[in-house]
Amino acid sequence: MQRKIAVVGTGYVGLTTGACLAAIGHHVVCADIDAGKVSRLRAGQVDILEPGLAELVRRGLDAGRLEFVVGAPAAIHTDTEVLFLCVPTPMGADGSADLRAVESVLREVGDLLPEDCAVATKSTVPVGTADRLSRMVNAPIVANPEFLREGSAVDDFLHPDRIVVGSSDRPAARRVGALYEPLQAPTLILDAASAEMVKYAANCFLAVKLSYVNAIAQLCDRVGADVVAVTEGMGYDPRIGRSFLKPGPGWGGSCLPKDANALVHVAESVGLEFPLLRSAIEQNARQQADVLDRVRQACDGTIRGARIGLLGLAFKAGTNDLRDSPAVRIADALVAEGAEVTAHDPAISGELSGIRLVDDPYEAVKGAVVVIVLTEWPEFRTLDWTRVAELMDGFTVLDTRNLLDGDPLTRAGLTWRGMGRPVTS
Ligand code: UDX
């Protein structure tokens, strides 16, 4: 049954939510304060690199089921049944989530909400936020966390593992849960605090898992084991699973770092230490320091003045998102140590301070003493390594994603160093 929905915020979560809810038959009005962005969206132009999203937006517009308006109040009509809040909740200076955008939208629309309209929070908000917000407006607040990965958000939305909704007003939670019925996913109707907690607990678990595997990779390096074989051996155990076991230059992006810091903050606010999660965050910083140590070694001890070529800047392949990207942190640290850094990322162009950004991967490796693969773009796998070897000034390719096949590199006379893998040269 078609429902009337308002979505505030058109970042990757808001836009995916709006376009997918329209795709499954609802009528959706999406609001953003950026008038330029709204007019581009009305013309079917999507700035975010998210497979399938632009097509869904255009289909929604053509079918008259998706509209874009400027400002949250314009999205609310007398028949709006659910308002989704998808505005940013950035990390404050102390690690807590900054809720000012959520609160300001509620202040703007509070008096306009029709009776029985539920407000659903998609933004990741600290435990207790639904209760706090329900004191601001006369409408039921439903926590409805999203589990959308950047780069596969549309697919994740349309094929969810589970739908989680939580509220002290159970009928309102059920109304929000019912929007997803066409997706036929297991739906959990919870209290608000538990629903909010699911999101943090899930993302922080993933962060801990990655920090663990990154530490195992460092250990494999020192004891001469191969982390790929080790994680394969671990992954057969269904209690562990195969996914999220790839070491890298550290975890990043718009969610994991923010949520890990926020959960530490939540724990502290109720007088609880969370040393496990703190260590996962510290291990992540250590992982980046470890990459820098490897670069230092490859540059004979000093990075100052060295030409370094970077392949990849986005926090993971399939996105053009640089938020909390380990690649950018590593690039910045190299620049701070006096390296001359040239970088290529297939999804990034423009300017980045201190870094020379180029459109061609071969241009990025020209004259480099060390080349570092920082994002797992598949196209890096098929580079002409003989040409790379000719263009480079040194021999080391540091593959922080274990993306490359070492053989073509060694045939070209290069030394390939993965993470937690035997060096081949
Ligand atoms: C994450 C959650 O997965 C998603 O459920 C939530 O809604 C938003 O946050 P996202 O930030 O898009 O999604 O990225 P994700 O695919 O989870 O990767 C996070 C980080 O971990 C990236 O830096 C990625 O490169 C890294 N990663 C992931 C690894 O280093 N190894 C892996 O095996 C998987």
Side-chain angles (χ1 to χ4, degrees), residues 47 104 114 134 152 179 186 194 196 314 348 356 392:
D47 303 336
S104 121
S134 62
S152 55
L179 297 175
S194 301
E196 289 164 342
I348 316 269
R356 195 165 76 91
M392 280 178 71

Side-chain angles (χ1 to χ4, degrees), residues 39-62:
S39 63
R40 285 195 298 282
L41 285 167
R42 280 181 181 151
Q45 285 169 27
V46 173
D47 303 336
I48 312 164
L49 183 65
E50 198 58 74
L53 187 55
E55 197 195 321
L56 276 195
V57 166
R58 284 193 285 271
R59 263 200 258 156
L61 288 166
D62 289 347

Side-chain angles (χ1 to χ4, degrees), residues 146-150 210 244 246 252 255 315-316 401:
E146 48 78 20
F147 305 98
L148 309 176
R149 287 164 302 170
E150 285 188 50
L210 287 177
F244 255 70
K246 289 202 182 97
C255 291
F315 83 96
K316 66 173 185 180
R401 296 282 186 170

